[in-house]
PDB file of all heavy atoms in Angstrom:
ATOM      1  N   GLY A   1      42.031 191.211 124.042  1.00 88.00           N
ATOM      2  CA  GLY A   1      42.742 190.722 122.763  1.00 88.00           C
ATOM      3  C   GLY A   1      43.354 189.376 122.988  1.00 88.00           C
ATOM      4  O   GLY A   1      43.012 188.550 123.885  1.00 88.00           O
ATOM      5  N   LEU A   2      44.101 188.976 121.984  1.00 89.00           N
ATOM      6  CA  LEU A   2      44.602 187.593 121.958  1.00 89.00           C
ATOM      7  C   LEU A   2      46.077 187.779 121.378  1.00 89.00           C
ATOM      8  O   LEU A   2      46.434 188.489 120.342  1.00 89.00           O
ATOM      9  CB  LEU A   2      43.932 186.790 120.920  1.00 89.00           C
ATOM     10  CG  LEU A   2      44.270 185.336 120.587  1.00 89.00           C
ATOM     11  CD1 LEU A   2      44.048 184.500 121.747  1.00 89.00           C
ATOM     12  CD2 LEU A   2      43.610 184.908 119.278  1.00 89.00           C
ATOM     13  N   LYS A   3      47.018 186.872 121.956  1.00 90.00           N
ATOM     14  CA  LYS A   3      48.248 186.741 121.502  1.00 90.00           C
ATOM     15  C   LYS A   3      48.545 185.315 121.286  1.00 90.00           C
ATOM     16  O   LYS A   3      48.186 184.536 122.102  1.00 90.00           O
ATOM     17  CB  LYS A   3      49.386 187.582 122.246  1.00 90.00           C
ATOM     18  CG  LYS A   3      49.656 187.037 123.610  1.00 90.00           C
ATOM     19  CD  LYS A   3      50.767 187.921 124.274  1.00 90.00           C
ATOM     20  CE  LYS A   3      51.153 187.516 125.668  1.00 90.00           C
ATOM     21  NZ  LYS A   3      52.130 188.343 126.197  1.00 90.00           N
ATOM     22  N   VAL A   4      49.396 184.933 120.347  1.00 91.00           N
ATOM     23  CA  VAL A   4      49.447 183.611 119.873  1.00 91.00           C
ATOM     24  C   VAL A   4      50.921 183.350 119.397  1.00 91.00           C
ATOM     25  O   VAL A   4      51.620 184.088 118.817  1.00 91.00           O
ATOM     26  CB  VAL A   4      48.536 183.278 118.664  1.00 91.00           C
ATOM     27  CG1 VAL A   4      48.843 181.863 118.093  1.00 91.00           C
ATOM     28  CG2 VAL A   4      47.168 183.455 119.035  1.00 91.00           C
ATOM     29  N   ASP A   5      51.426 182.124 119.843  1.00 90.00           N
ATOM     30  CA  ASP A   5      52.670 181.524 119.212  1.00 90.00           C
ATOM     31  C   ASP A   5      52.464 180.064 119.267  1.00 90.00           C
ATOM     32  O   ASP A   5      51.410 179.548 119.555  1.00 90.00           O
ATOM     33  CB  ASP A   5      54.001 182.213 119.921  1.00 90.00           C
ATOM     34  CG  ASP A   5      54.276 181.379 121.265  1.00 90.00           C
ATOM     35  OD1 ASP A   5      53.512 180.584 121.843  1.00 90.00           O
ATOM     36  OD2 ASP A   5      55.341 181.633 121.842  1.00 90.00           O
ATOM     37  N   PHE A   6      53.509 179.376 118.859  1.00 91.00           N
ATOM     38  CA  PHE A   6      53.535 177.929 118.778  1.00 91.00           C
ATOM     39  C   PHE A   6      54.767 177.355 119.358  1.00 91.00           C
ATOM     40  O   PHE A   6      55.755 178.087 119.261  1.00 91.00           O
ATOM     41  CB  PHE A   6      53.496 177.401 117.338  1.00 91.00           C
ATOM     42  CG  PHE A   6      52.112 177.831 116.714  1.00 91.00           C
ATOM     43  CD1 PHE A   6      51.858 178.971 116.058  1.00 91.00           C
ATOM     44  CD2 PHE A   6      51.094 176.838 116.687  1.00 91.00           C
ATOM     45  CE1 PHE A   6      50.765 179.389 115.534  1.00 91.00           C
ATOM     46  CE2 PHE A   6      49.844 177.195 116.101  1.00 91.00           C
ATOM     47  CZ  PHE A   6      49.664 178.551 115.536  1.00 91.00           C
ATOM     48  N   THR A   7      54.748 176.171 120.085  1.00 91.00           N
ATOM     49  CA  THR A   7      55.809 175.510 120.388  1.00 91.00           C
ATOM     50  C   THR A   7      56.093 174.358 119.333  1.00 91.00           C
ATOM     51  O   THR A   7      55.085 173.845 118.796  1.00 91.00           O
ATOM     52  CB  THR A   7      55.750 174.823 121.781  1.00 91.00           C
ATOM     53  OG1 THR A   7      54.703 173.953 121.809  1.00 91.00           O
ATOM     54  CG2 THR A   7      55.609 175.917 122.835  1.00 91.00           C
ATOM     55  N   LEU A   8      57.335 174.068 119.012  1.00 92.00           N
ATOM     56  CA  LEU A   8      57.731 173.206 118.057  1.00 92.00           C
ATOM     57  C   LEU A   8      58.792 172.187 118.472  1.00 92.00           C
ATOM     58  O   LEU A   8      59.475 172.351 119.472  1.00 92.00           O
ATOM     59  CB  LEU A   8      58.239 174.025 116.781  1.00 92.00           C
ATOM     60  CG  LEU A   8      57.448 175.169 116.317  1.00 92.00           C
ATOM     61  CD1 LEU A   8      58.326 175.979 115.241  1.00 92.00           C
ATOM     62  CD2 LEU A   8      56.225 174.621 115.667  1.00 92.00           C
ATOM     63  N   PRO A   9      58.949 171.141 117.762  1.00 93.00           N
ATOM     64  CA  PRO A   9      60.124 170.066 118.022  1.00 93.00           C
ATOM     65  C   PRO A   9      61.407 170.852 117.881  1.00 93.00           C
ATOM     66  O   PRO A   9      61.444 171.891 117.236  1.00 93.00           O
ATOM     67  CB  PRO A   9      59.826 169.086 117.065  1.00 93.00           C
ATOM     68  CG  PRO A   9      58.428 169.096 116.627  1.00 93.00           C
ATOM     69  CD  PRO A   9      58.049 170.559 116.694  1.00 93.00           C
ATOM     70  N   ALA A  10      62.382 170.305 118.497  1.00 91.00           N
ATOM     71  CA  ALA A  10      63.667 170.868 118.408  1.00 91.00           C
ATOM     72  C   ALA A  10      64.157 171.118 116.931  1.00 91.00           C
ATOM     73  O   ALA A  10      63.975 170.267 116.037  1.00 91.00           O
ATOM     74  CB  ALA A  10      64.731 169.925 119.053  1.00 91.00           C
ATOM     75  N   SER A  11      64.786 172.369 116.688  1.00 90.00           N
ATOM     76  CA  SER A  11      65.171 172.712 115.340  1.00 90.00           C
ATOM     77  C   SER A  11      64.109 172.838 114.319  1.00 90.00           C
ATOM     78  O   SER A  11      64.618 172.995 113.164  1.00 90.00           O
ATOM     79  CB  SER A  11      66.438 171.750 114.970  1.00 90.00           C
ATOM     80  OG  SER A  11      67.397 171.800 115.855  1.00 90.00           O
ATOM     81  N   ALA A  12      62.940 172.724 114.564  1.00 91.00           N
ATOM     82  CA  ALA A  12      61.868 172.974 113.619  1.00 91.00           C
ATOM     83  C   ALA A  12      61.690 174.488 113.350  1.00 91.00           C
ATOM     84  O   ALA A  12      62.035 175.279 114.173  1.00 91.00           O
ATOM     85  CB  ALA A  12      60.596 172.446 114.046  1.00 91.00           C
ATOM     86  N   THR A  13      61.269 174.870 112.078  1.00 90.00           N
ATOM     87  CA  THR A  13      61.027 176.190 111.696  1.00 90.00           C
ATOM     88  C   THR A  13      59.559 176.380 111.197  1.00 90.00           C
ATOM     89  O   THR A  13      59.142 175.305 110.593  1.00 90.00           O
ATOM     90  CB  THR A  13      62.088 176.715 110.704  1.00 90.00           C
ATOM     91  OG1 THR A  13      61.991 175.984 109.613  1.00 90.00           O
ATOM     92  CG2 THR A  13      63.524 176.731 111.256  1.00 90.00           C
ATOM     93  N   MET A  14      59.086 177.402 111.398  1.00 91.00           N
ATOM     94  CA  MET A  14      57.643 177.691 110.941  1.00 91.00           C
ATOM     95  C   MET A  14      57.489 179.092 110.480  1.00 91.00           C
ATOM     96  O   MET A  14      57.979 180.076 111.138  1.00 91.00           O
ATOM     97  CB  MET A  14      56.673 177.416 112.135  1.00 91.00           C
ATOM     98  CG  MET A  14      55.279 177.518 111.961  1.00 91.00           C
ATOM     99  SD  MET A  14      54.442 176.833 113.285  1.00 91.00           S
ATOM    100  CE  MET A  14      52.826 177.702 113.173  1.00 91.00           C
ATOM    101  N   ARG A  15      56.858 179.316 109.348  1.00 88.00           N
ATOM    102  CA  ARG A  15      56.549 180.539 108.866  1.00 88.00           C
ATOM    103  C   ARG A  15      55.024 180.599 108.873  1.00 88.00           C
ATOM    104  O   ARG A  15      54.467 179.792 108.175  1.00 88.00           O
ATOM    105  CB  ARG A  15      57.091 180.943 107.497  1.00 88.00           C
ATOM    106  CG  ARG A  15      56.820 182.384 106.950  1.00 88.00           C
ATOM    107  CD  ARG A  15      57.860 182.861 105.944  1.00 88.00           C
ATOM    108  NE  ARG A  15      57.400 184.048 105.504  1.00 88.00           N
ATOM    109  CZ  ARG A  15      57.752 185.222 106.054  1.00 88.00           C
ATOM    110  NH1 ARG A  15      58.179 185.225 107.210  1.00 88.00           N
ATOM    111  NH2 ARG A  15      57.262 186.389 105.466  1.00 88.00           N
ATOM    112  N   TRP A  16      54.521 181.500 109.652  1.00 87.00           N
ATOM    113  CA  TRP A  16      52.875 181.500 109.770  1.00 87.00           C
ATOM    114  C   TRP A  16      52.451 182.756 109.966  1.00 87.00           C
ATOM    115  O   TRP A  16      53.140 183.849 110.187  1.00 87.00           O
ATOM    116  CB  TRP A  16      52.641 180.669 111.051  1.00 87.00           C
ATOM    117  CG  TRP A  16      53.104 181.219 112.307  1.00 87.00           C
ATOM    118  CD1 TRP A  16      54.387 181.218 112.859  1.00 87.00           C
ATOM    119  CD2 TRP A  16      52.423 182.074 113.232  1.00 87.00           C
ATOM    120  NE1 TRP A  16      54.468 181.902 113.973  1.00 87.00           N
ATOM    121  CE2 TRP A  16      53.258 182.480 114.253  1.00 87.00           C
ATOM    122  CE3 TRP A  16      51.130 182.525 113.317  1.00 87.00           C
ATOM    123  CZ2 TRP A  16      52.869 183.144 115.417  1.00 87.00           C
ATOM    124  CZ3 TRP A  16      50.701 183.313 114.347  1.00 87.00           C
ATOM    125  CH2 TRP A  16      51.664 183.572 115.422  1.00 87.00           C
ATOM    126  N   GLY A  17      51.135 182.924 109.698  1.00 83.00           N
ATOM    127  CA  GLY A  17      50.367 184.103 109.832  1.00 83.00           C
ATOM    128  C   GLY A  17      49.069 183.867 110.224  1.00 83.00           C
ATOM    129  O   GLY A  17      48.395 182.814 109.899  1.00 83.00           O
ATOM    130  N   LEU A  18      48.337 184.796 111.037  1.00 83.00           N
ATOM    131  CA  LEU A  18      46.813 184.767 111.162  1.00 83.00           C
ATOM    132  C   LEU A  18      46.400 186.026 110.664  1.00 83.00           C
ATOM    133  O   LEU A  18      46.832 187.163 110.740  1.00 83.00           O
ATOM    134  CB  LEU A  18      46.635 184.825 112.789  1.00 83.00           C
ATOM    135  CG  LEU A  18      46.704 183.431 113.563  1.00 83.00           C
ATOM    136  CD1 LEU A  18      46.621 183.819 115.013  1.00 83.00           C
ATOM    137  CD2 LEU A  18      45.579 182.509 113.107  1.00 83.00           C
ATOM    138  N   LEU A  19      45.204 185.854 109.890  1.00 82.00           N
ATOM    139  CA  LEU A  19      44.596 186.976 109.228  1.00 82.00           C
ATOM    140  C   LEU A  19      43.452 187.194 110.360  1.00 82.00           C
ATOM    141  O   LEU A  19      42.519 186.437 110.487  1.00 82.00           O
ATOM    142  CB  LEU A  19      44.043 186.664 107.925  1.00 82.00           C
ATOM    143  CG  LEU A  19      43.325 187.746 107.355  1.00 82.00           C
ATOM    144  CD1 LEU A  19      44.069 188.967 106.951  1.00 82.00           C
ATOM    145  CD2 LEU A  19      42.743 187.254 105.950  1.00 82.00           C
ATOM    146  N   GLY A  20      43.582 188.321 111.132  1.00 79.00           N
ATOM    147  CA  GLY A  20      42.680 188.619 112.108  1.00 79.00           C
ATOM    148  C   GLY A  20      42.444 190.146 112.459  1.00 79.00           C
ATOM    149  O   GLY A  20      43.107 190.810 111.706  1.00 79.00           O
ATOM    150  N   ASN A  21      41.814 190.503 113.507  1.00 78.00           N
ATOM    151  CA  ASN A  21      41.676 191.812 113.856  1.00 78.00           C
ATOM    152  C   ASN A  21      42.918 192.521 114.230  1.00 78.00           C
ATOM    153  O   ASN A  21      43.846 191.886 114.913  1.00 78.00           O
ATOM    154  CB  ASN A  21      40.569 191.932 115.053  1.00 78.00           C
ATOM    155  CG  ASN A  21      39.250 191.807 114.619  1.00 78.00           C
ATOM    156  OD1 ASN A  21      38.932 191.285 113.586  1.00 78.00           O
ATOM    157  ND2 ASN A  21      38.246 192.115 115.413  1.00 78.00           N
ATOM    158  N   VAL A  22      43.045 193.841 114.057  1.00 72.00           N
ATOM    159  CA  VAL A  22      44.138 194.677 114.493  1.00 72.00           C
ATOM    160  C   VAL A  22      43.797 194.699 116.038  1.00 72.00           C
ATOM    161  O   VAL A  22      42.794 194.958 116.475  1.00 72.00           O
ATOM    162  CB  VAL A  22      44.155 196.063 113.720  1.00 72.00           C
ATOM    163  CG1 VAL A  22      45.123 196.902 114.382  1.00 72.00           C
ATOM    164  CG2 VAL A  22      44.316 195.899 112.423  1.00 72.00           C
ATOM    165  N   VAL A  23      45.040 194.856 116.834  1.00 69.00           N
ATOM    166  CA  VAL A  23      44.875 195.017 118.221  1.00 69.00           C
ATOM    167  C   VAL A  23      44.008 196.180 118.600  1.00 69.00           C
ATOM    168  O   VAL A  23      44.263 197.259 118.013  1.00 69.00           O
ATOM    169  CB  VAL A  23      46.321 195.110 118.951  1.00 69.00           C
ATOM    170  CG1 VAL A  23      46.139 195.436 120.407  1.00 69.00           C
ATOM    171  CG2 VAL A  23      46.997 193.712 118.685  1.00 69.00           C
ATOM    172  N   ALA A  24      43.116 196.154 119.493  1.00 64.00           N
ATOM    173  CA  ALA A  24      42.325 197.216 119.967  1.00 64.00           C
ATOM    174  C   ALA A  24      41.343 197.847 118.945  1.00 64.00           C
ATOM    175  O   ALA A  24      40.914 198.934 119.136  1.00 64.00           O
ATOM    176  CB  ALA A  24      43.040 198.172 120.729  1.00 64.00           C
ATOM    177  N   ASP A  25      41.175 197.098 118.000  1.00 61.00           N
ATOM    178  CA  ASP A  25      40.312 197.602 116.821  1.00 61.00           C
ATOM    179  C   ASP A  25      38.879 197.030 116.893  1.00 61.00           C
ATOM    180  O   ASP A  25      38.815 195.702 116.878  1.00 61.00           O
ATOM    181  CB  ASP A  25      40.914 197.337 115.434  1.00 61.00           C
ATOM    182  CG  ASP A  25      40.142 197.986 114.417  1.00 61.00           C
ATOM    183  OD1 ASP A  25      39.038 198.490 114.533  1.00 61.00           O
ATOM    184  OD2 ASP A  25      40.621 198.066 113.304  1.00 61.00           O
ATOM    185  N   THR A  26      37.864 197.730 117.216  1.00 54.00           N
ATOM    186  CA  THR A  26      36.527 197.233 117.351  1.00 54.00           C
ATOM    187  C   THR A  26      35.790 197.085 115.973  1.00 54.00           C
ATOM    188  O   THR A  26      34.678 196.765 116.001  1.00 54.00           O
ATOM    189  CB  THR A  26      35.719 198.059 118.288  1.00 54.00           C
ATOM    190  OG1 THR A  26      35.563 199.347 117.796  1.00 54.00           O
ATOM    191  CG2 THR A  26      36.395 198.133 119.611  1.00 54.00           C
ATOM    192  N   ASN A  27      36.338 197.535 114.968  1.00 54.00           N
ATOM    193  CA  ASN A  27      35.806 197.575 113.590  1.00 54.00           C
ATOM    194  C   ASN A  27      35.964 196.321 112.767  1.00 54.00           C
ATOM    195  O   ASN A  27      35.646 196.106 111.622  1.00 54.00           O
ATOM    196  CB  ASN A  27      36.164 198.740 112.639  1.00 54.00           C
ATOM    197  CG  ASN A  27      35.728 200.046 113.392  1.00 54.00           C
ATOM    198  OD1 ASN A  27      34.567 200.079 113.931  1.00 54.00           O
ATOM    199  ND2 ASN A  27      36.527 201.000 113.371  1.00 54.00           N
ATOM    200  N   GLN A  28      36.634 195.226 113.371  1.00 51.00           N
ATOM    201  CA  GLN A  28      36.990 194.090 112.786  1.00 51.00           C
ATOM    202  C   GLN A  28      37.660 194.227 111.333  1.00 51.00           C
ATOM    203  O   GLN A  28      37.273 193.530 110.467  1.00 51.00           O
ATOM    204  CB  GLN A  28      35.694 193.185 112.630  1.00 51.00           C
ATOM    205  CG  GLN A  28      35.208 192.797 113.994  1.00 51.00           C
ATOM    206  CD  GLN A  28      34.105 191.583 113.948  1.00 51.00           C
ATOM    207  OE1 GLN A  28      33.835 191.169 112.943  1.00 51.00           O
ATOM    208  NE2 GLN A  28      33.538 191.332 115.143  1.00 51.00           N
ATOM    209  N   LYS A  29      38.491 195.054 111.259  1.00 51.00           N
ATOM    210  CA  LYS A  29      39.453 195.190 110.116  1.00 51.00           C
ATOM    211  C   LYS A  29      40.410 194.027 110.151  1.00 51.00           C
ATOM    212  O   LYS A  29      41.031 193.772 111.127  1.00 51.00           O
ATOM    213  CB  LYS A  29      40.156 196.505 110.131  1.00 51.00           C
ATOM    214  CG  LYS A  29      39.163 197.723 109.999  1.00 51.00           C
ATOM    215  CD  LYS A  29      39.950 199.021 110.077  1.00 51.00           C
ATOM    216  CE  LYS A  29      38.944 200.157 109.974  1.00 51.00           C
ATOM    217  NZ  LYS A  29      39.566 201.451 110.289  1.00 51.00           N
ATOM    218  N   ALA A  30      40.758 193.626 109.004  1.00 53.00           N
ATOM    219  CA  ALA A  30      41.792 192.478 108.994  1.00 53.00           C
ATOM    220  C   ALA A  30      43.120 193.034 109.052  1.00 53.00           C
ATOM    221  O   ALA A  30      43.466 193.992 108.496  1.00 53.00           O
ATOM    222  CB  ALA A  30      41.539 191.689 107.622  1.00 53.00           C
ATOM    223  N   ALA A  31      43.929 192.188 109.774  1.00 52.00           N
ATOM    224  CA  ALA A  31      45.382 192.499 109.866  1.00 52.00           C
ATOM    225  C   ALA A  31      46.118 191.243 109.800  1.00 52.00           C
ATOM    226  O   ALA A  31      45.679 190.063 110.369  1.00 52.00           O
ATOM    227  CB  ALA A  31      45.726 193.162 111.306  1.00 52.00           C
ATOM    228  N   THR A  32      47.143 191.139 109.101  1.00 53.00           N
ATOM    229  CA  THR A  32      47.988 189.949 109.024  1.00 53.00           C
ATOM    230  C   THR A  32      49.151 190.161 109.721  1.00 53.00           C
ATOM    231  O   THR A  32      49.994 191.191 109.760  1.00 53.00           O
ATOM    232  CB  THR A  32      48.349 189.813 107.468  1.00 53.00           C
ATOM    233  OG1 THR A  32      47.137 189.750 106.715  1.00 53.00           O
ATOM    234  CG2 THR A  32      49.153 188.498 107.364  1.00 53.00           C
ATOM    235  N   ASN A  33      49.563 189.127 110.619  1.00 52.00           N
ATOM    236  CA  ASN A  33      50.744 189.103 111.283  1.00 52.00           C
ATOM    237  C   ASN A  33      51.463 187.789 110.815  1.00 52.00           C
ATOM    238  O   ASN A  33      51.231 186.776 111.305  1.00 52.00           O
ATOM    239  CB  ASN A  33      50.483 189.133 112.797  1.00 52.00           C
ATOM    240  CG  ASN A  33      51.699 189.138 113.638  1.00 52.00           C
ATOM    241  OD1 ASN A  33      52.802 189.199 113.032  1.00 52.00           O
ATOM    242  ND2 ASN A  33      51.537 189.131 114.950  1.00 52.00           N
ATOM    243  N   THR A  34      52.524 187.971 110.060  1.00 52.00           N
ATOM    244  CA  THR A  34      53.256 186.885 109.550  1.00 52.00           C
ATOM    245  C   THR A  34      54.531 186.888 110.150  1.00 52.00           C
ATOM    246  O   THR A  34      55.231 188.005 110.258  1.00 52.00           O
ATOM    247  CB  THR A  34      53.379 186.871 107.968  1.00 52.00           C
ATOM    248  OG1 THR A  34      52.112 186.967 107.313  1.00 52.00           O
ATOM    249  CG2 THR A  34      54.240 185.740 107.532  1.00 52.00           C
ATOM    250  N   THR A  35      54.981 185.717 110.694  1.00 56.00           N
ATOM    251  CA  THR A  35      56.277 185.698 111.488  1.00 56.00           C
ATOM    252  C   THR A  35      56.969 184.417 111.123  1.00 56.00           C
ATOM    253  O   THR A  35      56.422 183.372 110.889  1.00 56.00           O
ATOM    254  CB  THR A  35      56.031 185.705 112.879  1.00 56.00           C
ATOM    255  OG1 THR A  35      55.087 184.708 113.332  1.00 56.00           O
ATOM    256  CG2 THR A  35      55.272 187.041 113.454  1.00 56.00           C
ATOM    257  N   ASP A  36      58.418 184.558 111.283  1.00 61.00           N
ATOM    258  CA  ASP A  36      59.217 183.338 111.338  1.00 61.00           C
ATOM    259  C   ASP A  36      59.334 182.928 112.738  1.00 61.00           C
ATOM    260  O   ASP A  36      59.469 183.860 113.660  1.00 61.00           O
ATOM    261  CB  ASP A  36      60.493 183.719 110.750  1.00 61.00           C
ATOM    262  CG  ASP A  36      60.501 183.799 109.260  1.00 61.00           C
ATOM    263  OD1 ASP A  36      59.967 182.967 108.536  1.00 61.00           O
ATOM    264  OD2 ASP A  36      61.130 184.862 108.704  1.00 61.00           O
ATOM    265  N   GLN A  37      59.408 181.684 112.943  1.00 61.00           N
ATOM    266  CA  GLN A  37      59.537 181.206 114.266  1.00 61.00           C
ATOM    267  C   GLN A  37      60.395 180.022 114.241  1.00 61.00           C
ATOM    268  O   GLN A  37      60.141 178.967 113.543  1.00 61.00           O
ATOM    269  CB  GLN A  37      58.195 180.852 114.790  1.00 61.00           C
ATOM    270  CG  GLN A  37      58.137 180.289 116.270  1.00 61.00           C
ATOM    271  CD  GLN A  37      56.731 180.330 116.748  1.00 61.00           C
ATOM    272  OE1 GLN A  37      55.987 181.138 116.488  1.00 61.00           O
ATOM    273  NE2 GLN A  37      56.381 179.223 117.461  1.00 61.00           N
ATOM    274  N   THR A  38      61.273 179.931 115.315  1.00 61.00           N
ATOM    275  CA  THR A  38      62.013 178.795 115.603  1.00 61.00           C
ATOM    276  C   THR A  38      61.766 178.449 117.080  1.00 61.00           C
ATOM    277  O   THR A  38      61.971 179.410 117.938  1.00 61.00           O
ATOM    278  CB  THR A  38      63.454 178.934 115.312  1.00 61.00           C
ATOM    279  OG1 THR A  38      63.749 179.200 113.997  1.00 61.00           O
ATOM    280  CG2 THR A  38      64.283 177.705 115.770  1.00 61.00           C
ATOM    281  N   GLY A  39      61.278 177.233 117.511  1.00 51.00           N
ATOM    282  CA  GLY A  39      60.839 177.179 118.835  1.00 51.00           C
ATOM    283  C   GLY A  39      59.645 178.007 119.059  1.00 51.00           C
ATOM    284  O   GLY A  39      58.626 177.850 118.353  1.00 51.00           O
ATOM    285  N   SER A  40      59.623 178.843 120.213  1.00 47.00           N
ATOM    286  CA  SER A  40      58.377 179.481 120.559  1.00 47.00           C
ATOM    287  C   SER A  40      58.906 180.943 120.794  1.00 47.00           C
ATOM    288  O   SER A  40      58.643 181.519 121.876  1.00 47.00           O
ATOM    289  CB  SER A  40      57.616 178.944 121.800  1.00 47.00           C
ATOM    290  OG  SER A  40      58.655 178.927 122.847  1.00 47.00           O
TER     291      SER A  40
END
């Protein structure tokens, strides 16, 4: 699998999502993981 995050400048905020496969799913079903992030 794959896990992802981002590093950002000091005090930056990011709301992001990746539309990709569910963990351990071999059928390539789409899963959205939207997260708020400050820093990493």
Side-chain angles (χ1 to χ4, degrees):
L2 176 74
K3 67 180 178 180
V4 175
D5 81 351
F6 293 86
T7 59
L8 306 172
S11 300
T13 58
M14 182 172 160
R15 183 152 174 83
W16 62 280
L18 277 172
L19 180 61
N21 283 17
V22 175
V23 172
D25 188 343
T26 60
N27 294 321
Q28 296 192 3
K29 295 175 186 170
T32 302
N33 185 358
T34 300
T35 56
D36 283 316
Q37 178 168 319
T38 301
S40 57

